[in-house]
Amino acid sequence: MKQYLLSVVQPTGVTPPAPDALAAIMRDVEAFNDELRAAGAWVFAGGLHGPETATVLRPKDGDVLITDGPYAEGKEYLGGLCLIRAADLDEALEWGRKAALATTLPIEVRPFVDQH
């Protein structure tokens, strides 16, 4: 089985869901994670704090420069991720579809570089 990254795409500047709606989304996400586990497809999943909490380390002149904030400004940012095992891209896309429905957010599906 190959491994795929399901990236949760979080739009910037959007008002978060109301507490009741967020609680329902979190229940759906937990049910999605449970389904992944039951299928033997779950590797790891987790949400991330916003890009304003990031620290970026950049190599420069043989040293490393440390700066606050995101690497790049954008309309979207990585809000969370899920690593899964899937037989092929079609299966990974089906898991991505379920993740999009659970999170109510766009999901980017990407395979890992071939592993030997």
Side-chain angles (χ1 to χ4, degrees):
M1 295 202 108
K2 295 183 178 185
Q3 292 188 341
Y4 291 83
L5 174 66
L6 307 182
S7 300
V8 179
V9 179
Q10 179 72 47
T12 57
V14 174
T15 303
D20 289 347
L22 183 57
I25 290 168
M26 295 311 295
R27 282 191 300 274
D28 290 345
V29 168
E30 189 55 37
F32 169 72
N33 287 336
D34 289 345
E35 185 178 354
L36 281 171
R37 286 183 188 99
W42 191 86
V43 176
F44 174 82
L48 298 170
H49 289 283
E52 69 280 357
T53 66
T55 302
V56 180
L57 295 93
R58 290 186 182 90
K60 183 173 179 169
D61 301 326
D63 201 359
V64 176
L65 177 65
I66 300 173
T67 59
D68 292 336
Y71 172 71
E73 298 291 329
K75 294 180 182 180
E76 301 171 325
Y77 63 91
L78 181 62
L81 56 95
C82 182
L83 301 179
I84 64 165
R85 289 182 199 93
D88 54 29
L89 180 59
D90 288 337
E91 184 179 328
L93 291 173
E94 181 59 26
W95 285 117
R97 185 185 77 72
K98 291 178 180 187
L101 291 172
T103 62
T104 71
L105 293 168
I107 301 293
E108 178 185 79
V109 177
R110 294 178 66 184
F112 278 81
V113 175
D114 288 338
Q115 302 161 21
H116 302 295

